[in-house]
Amino acid sequence: MTNKIKSAKLPSGLSRRALIANGGALVVGFSLSDALAQAPEAPPVAAAPPPPLPGSLRVAPMIDAWIRIDAAGKITVLTGKVEIGQGVKTALRQVAAEHLGVPLGSVTLVTADTARTVNEGYTAGSQTLQDSGTAIMHAAAQAREILIKIAADKLGVDAATLKAEDGFVVAADGKRLGLGELVAGDVLKVKAEPATASKLRDPKSYKVIGKSVQRVDIPDKVTGGAAFIQDFRPEGMLHARVVRPPSYGAKLASVDTARIETLPGVRGVIRDGNFLAVIAVREFQAVKAMEQLAAAAKWSEQPTMPEQASFAAWLPAQDKRAIPIRDVKGDAPAPAKTLDLEYFRPYHMHGSIGPSCGVAQFKDGDMTVWACSQGMFPLQDAVAQLIRLPKDKVRCIHLEGSGCYGHNGADDAAADAAYIAFKMPGVPIRVQWMRADEHLWEPYGAGMVMRVKAGIDAKGMLTGWDYEVFTDTHSTRPGGAGSTLVGQSIENGFKLPAPQPAPQPNGSGDRNIIPPYKVANLRLIHNFQPHMKLRVSALRGLGAYSNVFAIESAMDELAAVAGEDPVAFRLKHLVHDARATDCVKLAAEKFGWKAGAVTGRGNGRGQGVAYSRYKGLAGYCAVAVEVEVDQETGRVRLVRAVAAADSGTVVNPDGIKNQIEGGIIQSASWTIHEQVSFDRTRVLSRDWSRYPILRFSETFESVEVHVIDRPGTPFLGTGEASQGPTGAAIANALFHATGQRIRALPFTAPRVKAAIGV
Amino acid sequence: MAKLSINGRAVEVDVEADTPLLYVLRDDLKMNGAKFGCGLGQCGACTVLVDDKAVFSCMVPVSVLEGRKVTTLEGLGTIDKPGPLQRAFIEEQAAQCGYCTAGILMRAEGLLRENRRPTDAQIRERLSANLCRCGTHNRVIKAVKRAAEYLRTAATTDSNRT
Amino acid sequence: MGCLRHYPLGRGGRGDSGLSEARCDARGNMRVIRGLLIAIAALGVIVGGYAWRSSFAPIDRPQASSFPVENVKAGAVLAAIGNCATCHTRDGGAAYAGGRPIVTPFGTIHATNITPDPSTGIGGWSEPAFIRAVREGVSRDGRHLYPAFPYDHMAKMAESDIKNVYAFLMTRRAQVSASPANELAFPFNIRSLVAGWKLFFLDRGGFTQDASKTAEWNRGAYLVEGLAHCGSCHTPRNVLGAEDKSRAYAGADVQGWTAPALGATSVAAVPWTGERLAEYLGKGRSPQHGVAAGPMADVIGNLAQVPDSDIKAMATYVASLAGAATKERQERGARAIARAGGEGAVTRPAAAAAPGASVYAGACAGCHGEAGRQPLDPALNLALSTTVRAASPNNLVRVVLGGIGRTDNQPGPHMPGFANALTDKQIGDLLEYVRANFTDRPVFAGLDVAIRKARQ
Ligand code: FES
Ligand code: FES
């Protein structure tokens, strides 16, 4: 059903709101972003009616929705996206400055605010530059042309003789007009033209794009500036803490709140259904009161989860909707050899270092929410529904939080704050989650089982590839009030709408299910199993990390069976894709890959390589790693990583390196350490001691990133590109170090030791 | 009433004696440097120096700080005049979301006050008390080395520096 | 010359510990040394003839494939029970490659390389040479080995087990790593003196089953008394550095840590049962007693590779050291648990005003709880902690200073160290408060000294 709705058929004037009213929120949310993601590479449409507007201009076609210039010449760029540590505050400024012809420092950027910016949905899927960057680029170029035309009229010269430079329109005779002098009236209140009409600057002349500029947000963050939502302290703010149940579905049996209400500083206790919160003047008073409230609360709990130890076997047996992704029969000889393999990844946490935080104030009938989640507009919908206010009475403003890597607790904390603020009108309420709240209640990245059956012919060419993935949903948003914890816990609360799988090419658990390699027979199935035994939602890359782990591990296993070098084996199946080939070759070359050097003989040190193109249509990334394995303990030591990345036009090369590097290290942590542990009733990973992540002593000795710039080509995004290949590269290196193939993540010391044997 | 010396300034705050320093810094003194990450001494986001040594401020009640010297991120420099470590972190762009960065920087400061020539291994070992989720580890190690270099050159040109 | 181990303090306690390596009190105590000299005089007569042992000719390193894999596997488990890797591995070095300094009152001994490298390890050792080393403490070339290697226990091992350990070690990756020379003062550097020591303290009788006990108990006794050499730490030593068998398992000091009493003199609030001990040995924690730290954390780390049946057997034997699980003991345990207030912790009114009370409330209660205040994830209830009840404050001080945690970053209990956060006086106040608030035991003696010593 949903898969078939094509974004092209959406009437452009139809708002997300209208669609939600039609019960199609998810459909549109994803279809819309599909369209945006595909835009850069969409084949030219033959004499179609008006050509589509580029990037998010499709959602908001007015130039002044993106770029505003006041009479004093102050330039404000507005984006519906948010900064989550990926550096877009800087990159988007670069894009605007380049195409407006103004200095980088003169651009003020406003990020998602339901009262000010365009609704660009979620900041997710490495799409900020594709969506917002593309829109701002074209809006800036068109704004520049408009201003030049006005200047030409003023100066009585031909517009072609004018240039926009350093914040001025400059004439051939050296006369300069400031942009503020040119903007009288609503000159930018015009509809954007299609991409073909934009006079984009020639990439060869770029002055700001393609240069490594220092990120604008870092100085505050290293000197104690107010950089995060946690640092936001509106006058008169009170501190709230929520006492969450000890397990999923636990019911609040009884609680004596009277004593808690008399504790020092306590201003109130809220109990509504299974929702329990305390509000105090000072933060530590709130913490202590919360602990006392927790001690007073009695819950009834039920075992609702499967056995963790047998989860990998349990999962494929659950109810499923088998969604065929590809079923292609081609011409290939019968396989000379076949492999039948199964891979597993456990539940992973987002694990933000700063637990989620939200601030809200309900004043004179208006609700304002400050949040650090990825989508202010969907949050606005959720809050409006939660407190039953018209949507225009709810404003959501983004403030930066600790890195979230997807759908973590940020929306929940914001909804907590909004709900409590609604009950205590007038006062700003700050809800800070505690560590255990975050560990236990964030929606995890779902566990997955991947099965590969593949064959190769006598020449070592793939003949067929049969792949199935089994997994829960990878997104429980937007789900309105029903997707928030508070919405679910209050009396007469809300239900999470039944999750739907997102269609390809974005996909969800099936993201990156399509192997990049040439193969004649291809059968791909996404077994969608929304059992939701553990709370789950979008974690960086969704299914991509695990699918790439499985595909790239299997490719290595096939190379070994074929007796071929892993790099050569990949390259000969990538001949149809020049950019992929470049990427793999560059990583191998910079790594110093020697064909035949990896043998799987198991002498304790190994090298591995892996490649993927994120979602099959975004950034290309190849990663090669070297690891060492301690024979006795099974501990994996990360020696070095070398990556090559092609993200299309490079805006901020160092920004891309930083993102790729971070992705590699985070992925290494997932790969060697991480799994959420649980018993039948409770999640056990309540803090870092039971969910260890990579420490400084364990990181690679070196991480090198080589960026391939393709000036003038579409932005492809970067943030999630390196995660998949890194996990697989480590798996492959581990095989070459130990001679053992480990197909279940994570590669903890005991598991590796068990595989090595004595 | 707790008497504290923070970044060389004497301050008095009216709080209960068991209040951890972190809450006093953030909530009462409205300072942003020390961050709440776990409140359990597991992540290091809240790291500050007490008498030049790194501590988890989430686990230090103010009652134990009388007569002792607290240094926070704000004490290392300002946005206009960043200190050597702050400069090095900016130059190496050693942050992504930056939430963990303040605490890491303070632990590195503790190390550099002890040892102007830390090896890679010493930096890694010391910083292992702090967590970063974004994966800035390798950049951070570079930044700490760069800062050590600044300190050494500064020490040779300005012998009065402490 | 006993098996007094050297352990770094605060293994894995991260962060605030500010403590690096414990400096062991190598100067020893004069009483010990004087006693030893007397003994040497007494032994002098015998030593001449008795000390000489033959040498086994070196062999070519056997092929790893010559050892059946079942033997290697069995050997791996035995080596883990024997905690071999802990002493024979230097910090950050390859497993079993030796080089770890073991500080004794008589000087520093460096553990040997027991990987099959022919030149620096045991690659040239034949199986009989290895068996003799384990049973008699004699090196392949006939030299006496210092009893830092606990052959006084290993002598109880069955020959088949020793052979399996041999198979295991000979199939490790050979590491070229020569251990530094021992640093022993005269006259302890005369190896033949060890021969005299053995005469007194090495029981060559092997292990005898007790037919009146269960097979499990016997298996446990065999392991605990032999290979696992628990007495090496938990039994006090005499002036000659040998275990004082008359006070077996009465507890002893090991490099600043106290190996607690395991027998009837245990101070545990809830008397140990076989079940609880098995839990502790298997996981390194028992909610009714505590969390392994210091040297015991290494032991637990190794026991992770040991099958439950052997863990249970050892637990059964150790639990029996305190006598039968009488009704009285069970009731004592139940009372202690009731007093401790289930998951929340107690606060005694008398202790609440103590100077350490606010330190506790701000630094500890967030995890360990206090009256009415339930942390989201409660740590050990201190009213049940054996360490808080111990006669000596050593372990408690060390844990507070250096914390608890795993150096290998595997899931496990964690506590930050407070060495940088708290002054000596504040730690003293805190621990006095903790002792008064959570136990019915007398005030700690020598708290100041313990703190000062642990800081060094
Ligand atoms: S907040 Fe203090 S260590 Fe995490
Ligand atoms: S930079 Fe985000 S947690 Fe370290």
Side-chain angles (χ1 to χ4, degrees):
Chain A
M1 40 143 296
T2 56
N3 316 30
K4 293 195 198 87
I5 298 180
K6 280 284 186 303
S7 51
K9 293 193 194 126
L10 286 179
S12 63
L14 198 53
S15 72
R16 163 181 240 110
R17 182 65 183 165
L19 282 153
I20 284 172
N22 289 334
L26 265 163
V27 177
V28 175
F30 285 100
S31 302
L32 194 59
S33 47
D34 287 349
L36 298 177
Q38 274 176 317
E41 298 209 334
V45 185
L53 291 173
S56 291
L57 282 172
R58 236 166 302 176
V59 197
M62 303 303 282
I63 302 277
D64 74 344
W66 303 93
I67 310 239
R68 284 176 208 160
I69 301 174
D70 70 11
K74 181 169 178 256
I75 302 159
T76 306
V77 172
L78 301 106
T79 172
K81 300 284 186 177
V82 303
E83 173 72 56
I84 44 178
Q86 81 282 45
V88 300
K89 274 188 179 169
T90 311
L92 291 177
R93 277 183 171 92
Q94 280 179 275
V95 170
E98 182 70 63
H99 289 283
L100 279 171
V102 302
L104 182 60
S106 69
V107 177
T108 303
L109 184 80
V110 174
T111 58
D113 174 343
T114 54
R116 299 177 73 188
T117 69
V118 170
N119 177 358
E120 290 192 89
Y122 290 105
T123 302
S126 303
Q127 284 177 187
T128 297
L129 279 175
Q130 295 170 39
D131 299 352
S132 213
T134 303
I136 289 169
M137 175 168 78
H138 287 277
Q142 292 178 20
R144 185 191 72 223
E145 288 305 307
I146 291 167
L147 296 175
I148 285 183
K149 199 166 290 141
I150 295 170
D153 289 349
K154 270 202 171 173
L155 296 171
V157 298
D158 180 1
T161 65
L162 298 176
K163 283 185 303 193
E165 246 175 37
D166 295 335
F168 295 91
V169 175
V170 185
D173 62 1
K175 247 196 218 114
R176 290 145 62 96
L177 289 171
L179 300 190
E181 303 169 53
L182 301 170
V183 289
D186 286 338
V187 298
L188 296 183
K189 202 172 260 326
V190 292
K191 206 160 173 241
E193 307 274 314
T196 43
S198 304
K199 293 223 171 64
L200 297 180
R201 289 213 196 258
D202 178 356
K204 286 194 207 72
S205 72
Y206 280 169
K207 293 199 184 79
V208 199
I209 290 182
K211 302 284 174 303
S212 285
V213 303
Q214 290 190 344
R215 274 183 27 204
V216 295
D217 52 329
I218 293 183
D220 266 328
K221 291 175 178 174
V222 299
T223 55
F228 298 96
I229 187 169
Q230 280 88 351
D231 306 329
F232 176 62
R233 305 177 182 93
E235 195 57 38
M237 176 180 87
L238 294 179
H239 292 278
R241 289 293 183 280
V242 178
V243 174
R244 300 235 106 94
S247 58
Y248 296 128
K251 302 255 174 307
L252 184 55
S254 71
V255 60
D256 175 11
T257 58
R259 194 177 64 82
I260 313 301
E261 273 159 16
T262 65
L263 291 174
V266 170
R267 284 285 189 276
V269 175
I270 295 176
R271 178 190 175 176
D272 182 352
N274 295 308
F275 183 78
L276 200 52
V278 58
I279 301 98
V281 176
R282 286 208 146 91
E283 189 162 14
F284 191 55
Q285 290 171 331
V287 172
K288 281 171 89 171
M290 170 204 65
E291 288 171 355
Q292 307 217 21
L293 190 55
K298 302 283 169 271
W299 303 85
S300 66
E301 300 179 67
Q302 294 290 328
T304 58
M305 287 182 283
E307 208 62 71
Q308 188 186 357
S310 53
F311 177 73
W314 176 90
L315 180 64
Q318 300 315 300
D319 284 353
K320 53 186 117 350
R321 170 143 53 112
I323 304 167
I325 304 295
R326 283 282 187 286
D327 196 357
V328 183
K329 296 249 179 337
D331 230 6
K337 287 169 188 158
T338 55
L339 290 179
D340 188 346
L341 309 163
E342 181 171 308
Y343 300 89
F344 171 72
R345 90 125 190 205
Y347 286 88
H348 281 161
M349 246 177 229
H350 299 78
S352 295
I353 296 299
S356 296
C357 179
V359 181
Q361 181 170 22
F362 183 58
K363 206 173 156 197
D364 307 328
D366 286 310
M367 175 64 77
T368 309
V369 182
W370 292 268
C372 53
S373 66
Q374 290 178 307
M376 290 305 106
F377 291 85
L379 177 65
Q380 181 189 32
D381 292 334
V383 169
Q385 197 186 359
L386 176 70
I387 56 178
R388 298 181 165 91
L389 269 191
K391 194 171 137 181
D392 61 6
K393 294 279 174 204
V394 176
R395 177 180 180 188
C396 295
I397 304 169
H398 183 264
L399 291 174
E400 274 187 67
S402 177
C404 65
Y405 329 104
H407 181 187
N408 68 346
D411 293 284
D412 296 301
D416 287 342
Y419 192 74
I420 297 166
F422 187 64
K423 300 255 166 175
M424 294 193 89
V427 210
I429 297 290
R430 175 183 190 264
V431 171
Q432 168 70 65
W433 276 19
M434 303 301 283
R435 173 44 55 201
D437 295 333
E438 190 79 23
H439 262 58
L440 294 176
W441 287 99
E442 67 146 273
Y444 308 126
M448 297 169 67
V449 167
M450 291 75 63
R451 286 183 183 157
V452 189
K453 287 191 201 110
I456 45 170
D457 63 20
K459 292 194 211 100
M461 293 302 290
L462 281 172
T463 56
W465 182 274
D466 189 319
Y467 183 102
E468 290 194 50
V469 60
F470 299 84
T471 184
D472 203 333
T473 181
H474 282 250
S475 179
T476 49
R477 71 183 184 188
S483 75
T484 66
L485 290 174
V486 53
Q488 294 164 5
S489 6
I490 53 177
E491 201 72 51
N492 303 318
F494 301 82
K495 279 223 162 25
L496 178 67
Q500 298 298 331
Q504 286 284 332
N506 266 341
S508 50
D510 58 334
R511 183 170 290 179
N512 269 91
I513 193 174
I514 305 169
Y517 304 106
K518 210 176 153 84
V519 55
N521 295 304
L522 187 62
R523 181 175 162 271
L524 308 173
I525 296 195
H526 171 204
N527 293 293
F528 180 69
Q529 305 167 291
H531 59 82
M532 296 191 290
K533 296 287 183 194
L534 276 73
R535 188 174 190 231
V536 291
S537 195
L539 169 63
R540 200 173 184 180
L542 277 53
Y545 162 78
S546 328
N547 288 318
V548 173
F549 162 67
I551 294 170
E552 288 296 282
S553 292
M555 281 299 279
D556 233 55
E557 300 203 45
L558 289 162
V561 167
E564 295 202 32
D565 177 75
V567 170
F569 184 71
R570 284 177 173 79
L571 287 175
K572 79 180 192 183
H573 289 95
L574 281 173
V575 284
H576 59 285
D577 189 337
R579 284 172 80 168
T581 300
D582 285 355
C583 196
V584 173
K585 280 189 170 161
L586 183 66
E589 177 204 319
K590 296 289 182 186
F591 183 79
W593 187 272
K594 287 194 192 60
V598 296
T599 57
R601 236 182 275 121
N603 63 355
R605 215 171 229 254
Q607 306 184 338
V609 71
Y611 158 80
S612 90
R613 184 178 185 194
Y614 186 50
K615 301 190 225 175
L617 52 75
Y620 303 79
C621 185
V623 178
V625 303
E626 183 167 350
V627 305
E628 214 176 73
V629 180
D630 184 323
Q631 179 85 10
E632 300 307 326
T633 60
R635 278 184 83 176
V636 178
R637 190 169 77 83
L638 303 169
V639 181
R640 63 196 179 105
V642 176
D646 173 351
S647 301
T649 293
V650 170
V651 176
N652 188 355
D654 188 62
I656 291 187
K657 286 187 184 173
N658 203 350
Q659 284 290 291
I660 294 283
E661 193 176 315
I664 289 173
I665 294 171
Q666 185 177 69
S667 177
S669 178
W670 291 356
T671 305
I672 69 171
H673 277 309
E674 299 183 26
Q675 57 185 329
V676 174
S677 46
F678 49 90
D679 61 21
R680 298 285 320 278
T681 306
R682 292 182 174 189
V683 172
L684 304 176
S685 300
R686 279 170 287 196
D687 60 27
W688 296 117
S689 73
R690 269 160 299 178
Y691 190 85
I693 61 173
L694 198 80
R695 290 186 182 271
F696 273 87
S697 52
E698 300 173 306
T699 188
F700 296 92
E701 271 162 30
S702 69
V703 181
E704 250 179 59
V705 181
H706 301 275
V707 178
I708 303 170
D709 193 2
R710 309 262 185 205
T713 63
F715 303 126
L716 296 182
T718 303
E720 290 150 318
S722 58
Q723 238 98 2
T726 301
I730 292 174
N732 296 337
L734 203 55
F735 168 69
H736 296 296
T738 62
Q740 301 299 322
R741 178 60 66 174
I742 309 178
R743 300 190 184 90
L745 291 164
F747 305 146
T748 58
R751 178 169 283 157
V752 174
K753 177 63 190 163
I756 300 173
V758 283
Chain B
M1 188 67 78
K3 288 198 180 92
L4 300 168
S5 154
I6 297 173
N7 301 326
R9 259 185 39 232
V11 285
E12 279 191 24
V13 272
D14 184 15
V15 296
E16 285 131 52
D18 59 1
T19 312
L21 173 61
L22 176 65
Y23 293 106
V24 173
L25 293 172
R26 295 196 57 86
D27 198 19
D28 295 281
L29 302 175
K30 317 273 181 247
M31 295 169 75
N32 302 319
K35 299 280 188 287
F36 171 75
C38 65
L40 305 165
Q42 292 181 351
C43 76
C46 63
T47 306
V48 303
L49 303 186
V50 171
D51 294 338
D52 297 327
K53 302 264 192 229
V55 303
F56 301 122
S57 68
C58 67
M59 316 253 352
V60 181
V62 278
S63 64
V64 305
L65 292 173
E66 193 156 342
R68 302 173 76 193
K69 201 173 83 191
V70 176
T71 311
T72 72
L73 185 66
E74 288 87 347
L76 302 193
T78 62
I79 195 155
D80 303 314
K81 242 182 140 242
L85 257 170
Q86 293 167 324
R87 236 176 83 202
F89 270 67
I90 294 171
E91 284 160 2
E92 291 289 347
Q93 294 281 287
Q96 281 190 29
C97 77
Y99 196 85
C100 68
T101 315
I104 289 174
L105 212 138
M106 291 313 292
R107 193 163 304 270
E109 174 75 15
L111 173 63
L112 294 180
R113 286 190 182 187
E114 239 170 82
N115 176 1
R116 289 272 166 92
R117 277 179 202 283
T119 61
D120 263 39
Q122 287 167 330
I123 297 170
R124 284 163 168 263
E125 200 42 51
R126 183 64 68 93
L127 295 185
S128 283
N130 290 48
L131 297 175
C132 170
R133 188 56 167 158
C134 295
T136 63
H137 303 62
N138 288 65
R139 281 179 180 236
V140 163
I141 295 166
K142 281 192 207 144
V144 174
K145 287 206 296 204
R146 184 190 276 248
E149 221 172 278
Y150 289 159
L151 285 168
R152 292 200 298 268
T153 27
T156 50
T157 52
D158 175 11
S159 52
N160 290 332
R161 242 203 94 84
T162 50
Chain C
M1 279 182 270
C3 179
L4 295 185
R5 303 282 162 60
H6 166 87
Y7 291 101
L9 171 59
R11 286 178 89 71
R14 288 179 195 282
D16 285 6
S17 102
L19 293 171
S20 47
E21 288 248 302
R23 225 145 300 155
C24 159
D25 189 1
R27 290 173 300 281
N29 94 37
M30 278 321 290
R31 210 166 54 85
V32 174
I33 296 176
R34 232 182 296 122
L36 189 82
L37 288 172
I38 296 162
I40 290 160
L43 290 170
V45 200
I46 321 159
V47 166
Y50 175 79
W52 184 87
R53 302 306 304 266
S54 65
S55 153
F56 281 96
I59 59 165
D60 287 340
R61 178 188 166 187
Q63 291 282 323
S65 56
S66 65
F67 297 96
V69 75
E70 306 76 68
N71 297 28
V72 178
K73 276 189 181 153
V77 170
L78 293 165
I81 295 174
N83 204 28
C84 308
T86 300
C87 283
H88 286 281
T89 308
R90 159 186 339 113
D91 276 348
Y96 303 107
R100 186 184 190 87
I102 297 171
V103 182
T104 76
F106 315 102
T108 300
I109 293 166
H110 293 275
T112 51
N113 178 352
I114 51 171
T115 71
D117 176 56
S119 55
T120 59
I122 60 168
W125 290 37
S126 62
E127 196 177 67
F130 183 77
I131 293 172
R132 181 179 72 175
V134 171
R135 288 236 170 116
E136 301 177 29
V138 177
S139 161
R140 181 193 60 76
D141 58 10
R143 282 178 308 143
H144 288 278
L145 296 168
Y146 288 104
F149 172 43
Y151 45 77
D152 48 338
H153 288 275
M154 304 292 170
K156 298 205 165 43
M157 283 177 78
E159 187 165 295
S160 57
D161 279 348
I162 304 179
K163 285 179 173 172
N164 286 341
V165 173
Y166 178 75
F168 170 71
L169 291 174
M170 292 309 262
T171 50
R172 299 306 88 202
R173 197 162 288 151
Q175 305 285 348
V176 184
S177 169
S179 295
N182 296 332
E183 299 138 37
L184 296 168
F186 180 82
F188 312 116
N189 55 357
I190 304 171
R191 280 199 184 249
S192 53
L193 282 182
V194 176
W197 187 93
K198 287 179 185 173
L199 210 54
F200 283 91
F201 303 117
L202 178 59
D203 169 8
R204 289 162 212 262
F207 177 74
T208 5
Q209 300 259 341
D210 180 342
S212 71
K213 298 289 199 323
T214 63
E216 185 179 63
W217 183 95
N218 272 298
R219 173 74 181 158
Y222 167 72
L223 292 174
V224 168
E225 295 296 337
L227 181 59
H229 63 283
C230 306
S232 279
C233 290
H234 290 275
T235 296
R237 288 172 186 274
N238 64 22
V239 289
L240 293 172
E243 288 170 33
D244 178 353
K245 299 287 185 201
S246 68
R247 292 189 291 150
Y249 302 109
D253 282 350
V254 183
Q255 313 302 332
W257 291 88
T258 303
L262 302 182
T265 50
S266 163
V267 295
V270 182
W272 283 101
T273 60
E275 247 178 353
R276 291 300 181 185
L277 264 167
E279 177 184 22
Y280 178 79
L281 292 175
K283 297 199 190 120
R285 61 193 302 186
S286 159
Q288 295 182 358
H289 300 89
V291 173
M296 194 61 195
D298 291 331
V299 175
I300 300 290
N302 284 318
L303 289 181
Q305 300 166 48
V306 176
D308 289 350
S309 55
D310 278 348
I311 300 267
K312 261 190 78 200
M314 290 195 280
T316 300
Y317 174 70
V318 173
S320 76
L321 294 172
T326 58
K327 190 146 178 274
E328 184 279 321
R329 274 174 65 191
Q330 283 167 9
E331 282 170 7
R332 184 146 50 95
R335 274 201 308 277
I337 292 170
R339 230 187 4 257
E343 290 203 333
V346 283
T347 301
R348 295 179 203 286
S358 76
V359 183
Y360 178 84
C364 317
C367 296
H368 291 284
E370 56 181 355
R373 200 175 146 197
Q374 181 182 306
L376 296 179
D377 185 12
L380 183 71
N381 185 329
L382 296 184
L384 299 176
S385 162
T386 310
T387 300
V388 175
R389 299 176 56 82
S392 154
N394 285 349
N395 289 3
L396 189 56
V397 166
R398 278 174 190 263
V399 165
V400 169
L401 287 173
I404 291 176
R406 295 184 59 135
T407 45
D408 59 358
N409 204 16
Q410 294 297 309
H414 172 101
M415 168 176 156
F418 288 85
N420 293 340
L422 303 177
T423 63
D424 286 8
K425 159 107 179 49
Q426 290 161 352
I427 290 176
D429 288 347
L430 171 65
L431 298 190
E432 267 169 21
Y433 166 75
V434 165
R435 178 81 154 188
N437 190 47
F438 293 103
T439 78
D440 49 6
R441 306 263 298 155
V443 292
F444 278 126
L447 187 53
D448 298 358
V449 179
I451 296 169
R452 239 187 357 261
K453 260 178 115 173
R455 284 253 195 214
Q456 277 164 13

